[in-house]
Amino acid sequence: MLPIADTFEHDYRGCEILYGRGRASELSAILGDRGVVDALVVCGSNVGANDDLMDPIREGLGDRLAGVFDGTTPDKRIETAYDLLDKRAEVGADALVAVGGGSSLDIARQATTLDVDGRDLDALRADAADGPDELGSLAPGSDPAIPLVVIPTTFAGADVSTGGSLEVLPADESPTGQPMTVSGDGAMPVVDLADPALFETTPKSVLAGSAMNGFDKGIETPYARDATPVSDATAVHGLRLLSDALPRVAGDRPGSEAAMDRAVVGVLLVQLDRRISVIHAFGHGFARRYDVQQGDIHAIVAPHVLAYLFDEIDASRRALADGLGVDVGGRDDEAIGEDVVDAVTAVRDALPTPGRLRDVPETDESDLPAIAEYIADDWSMDRAPADLDATPEAIEGVLRAAW
């Protein structure tokens, strides 16, 4: 078992990562050091009702707690971000503290960018109705004025980021026939508070739903066309931690506090220089067609995508083998690739996630050709390995294998 420091701090692109059990108790001091007087907590209704999670945060904030906005949902609708800004104005908060999974963190992050964008909801919808080029992005070149602290409690790997799209128009109102989303690239969160004790208050089913989403960030980085030795280093070490820890904290293997510590640090590491590409493109392709849990799609397709990549190219299989504990000594490429796929499948199978696309109720086999087209055209494919010819026909083959 790889040991983890009890506590550490790391400055990442202007975001101070603060790791350690019980560090939620430091929230008031953390905000005070940054000149914050009153903070609005941002979360979903389930998180807001989870006193085991919220009590340490309320106690940590103390007199700096201005209120709680518990209206975020996985739909990530832009109306929610405007409602959040209204609540922030109502309570007079000068900072946001986003708690929970990717949805809450993304909505809070984009709300800070909406605050300086200058367009109201009607204007954004009107721009969206005129098409993606007219909609553009939120507040390009503007830094949000509202400081944001993020407190992740799932393994989605959405905390050290400036991104996160919000839906402006549903598919039936969009000129493209698909949901129209918008995002902005603003400032990083000022603080990412990674407290393993808070993750332990999240139901295991929720942790499992996010686990493969974070895990796949580590898998994809080494074979991305713009990978570097630095991005390999954080991704591979993150995989070492996650491949053992995720089945223990979100799956069917015996867990422990030490396993949770490794999982939280692992999902931090795979985010630091992430280069998402092919597997995420598959997830995006399904999201354009259905309202599905991204973690479920990632869990299903990851082994099949890797098998496809290894049939076509090298895809940094030895770096992945290093992270997944696969022996490479004196072995040929084919054997290493097969064992890497098996190692990823073993992590997936230890989690309570579906193993076939047909097991996801929303999916329809007749949609696979259209989804393959979406995947081939997805922006994430810009980072696919340079020597990969990912045609829609080849992608459809992967989908049918996963079906």
Side-chain angles (χ1 to χ4, degrees):
M1 300 295 181
L2 295 168
I4 297 297
D6 290 339
T7 184
F8 65 82
E9 300 179 3
H10 176 66
D11 182 28
Y12 174 73
R13 301 180 183 177
C15 174
E16 189 171 10
I17 297 172
L18 306 178
Y19 166 86
R21 283 184 171 272
R23 295 201 73 168
S25 64
E26 303 172 25
L27 275 168
S28 181
I30 290 167
L31 294 181
D33 289 345
R34 288 157 181 81
V36 173
V37 176
D38 295 302
L40 175 65
V41 171
V42 182
C43 60
S45 58
N46 288 336
V47 168
N50 182 352
D51 287 337
D52 289 339
L53 168 58
M54 293 297 290
D55 282 349
I57 292 171
R58 285 189 286 255
E59 292 166 8
L61 287 170
D63 292 342
R64 298 189 198 277
L65 176 61
V68 176
F69 175 87
D70 62 356
T72 68
T73 71
D75 295 335
K76 294 200 292 186
R77 298 281 302 177
I78 199 159
E79 300 98 310
T80 308
Y82 279 108
D83 290 343
L84 167 56
L85 290 174
D86 288 343
K87 179 69 173 181
R88 178 245 173 181
E90 175 191 328
V91 300
D94 53 356
L96 302 179
V97 176
V99 181
S103 298
S104 294
L105 275 53
D106 286 351
I107 288 170
R109 185 161 39 230
Q110 295 303 340
T112 68
T113 309
L114 275 173
D115 184 58
V116 294
D117 181 71
R119 287 175 288 180
D120 61 17
L121 180 57
D122 289 339
L124 274 172
R125 283 179 167 162
D127 288 343
D130 289 334
D133 291 340
E134 186 67 24
L135 176 61
S137 61
L138 296 176
S142 300
D143 286 335
I146 306 172
L148 171 66
V149 172
V150 294
I151 305 178
T153 62
T154 75
F155 300 127
D159 29 322
V160 285
S161 171
T162 61
S165 59
L166 304 181
E167 184 176 300
V168 181
L169 291 178
D172 59 358
E173 298 178 26
S174 168
T176 66
Q178 301 300 320
M180 183 76 74
T181 62
V182 68
S183 63
D185 240 359
M188 291 284 287
V190 294
V191 170
D192 177 11
L193 184 71
D195 184 339
L198 300 183
F199 282 75
E200 289 169 345
T201 69
T202 302
K204 184 172 282 193
S205 60
V206 176
L207 291 177
S210 67
M212 287 299 292
N213 202 346
F215 189 52
D216 286 345
K217 289 179 171 69
I219 292 171
E220 295 199 278
T221 293
Y223 64 65
R225 71 175 60 196
D226 58 346
T228 70
V230 175
S231 63
D232 283 357
T234 51
V236 168
H237 190 47
L239 288 175
R240 289 190 192 109
L241 296 169
L242 292 174
S243 58
D244 171 74
L246 288 180
R248 298 181 185 278
V249 299
D252 59 9
R253 299 179 193 170
S256 64
E257 286 190 357
M260 182 61 80
D261 294 348
R262 293 195 300 276
V264 173
V265 174
V267 83
L268 277 172
L269 285 172
V270 298
Q271 293 179 74
L272 291 185
D273 209 352
R274 63 187 178 275
R275 313 291 171 104
I276 65 173
S277 59
V278 184
I279 297 175
H280 273 73
F282 274 71
H284 297 161
F286 278 86
R288 286 181 62 179
R289 197 76 173 186
Y290 313 115
D291 181 14
V292 291
Q293 164 61 257
Q294 287 287 289
D296 286 347
I297 300 300
H298 280 237
I300 295 166
V301 303
H304 298 283
V305 171
L306 282 174
Y308 160 62
L309 291 175
F310 294 153
D311 281 344
E312 300 291 322
I313 58 175
D314 177 73
S316 297
R317 66 189 70 195
R318 281 171 174 75
L320 291 172
D322 187 9
L324 296 166
V326 171
D327 181 28
V328 300
R331 307 181 69 213
D332 62 26
D333 286 351
E334 182 177 358
I336 293 169
E338 289 175 354
D339 280 1
V340 167
V341 172
D342 287 346
V344 171
T345 304
V347 173
R348 190 274 307 279
D349 288 349
L351 304 172
T353 56
R356 304 180 302 178
L357 290 173
R358 70 179 64 191
D359 297 330
V360 179
E362 295 88 347
T363 58
D364 185 327
E365 188 174 10
S366 66
D367 288 337
L368 296 184
I371 293 171
E373 294 279 355
Y374 298 153
I375 294 167
D377 191 46
D378 188 75
W379 61 268
S380 298
M381 293 298 286
D382 292 344
R383 268 185 163 155
D387 47 355
L388 178 69
D389 183 19
T391 65
E393 293 75 20
I395 292 170
E396 185 179 342
V398 179
L399 294 174
R400 295 201 179 277
W403 182 256

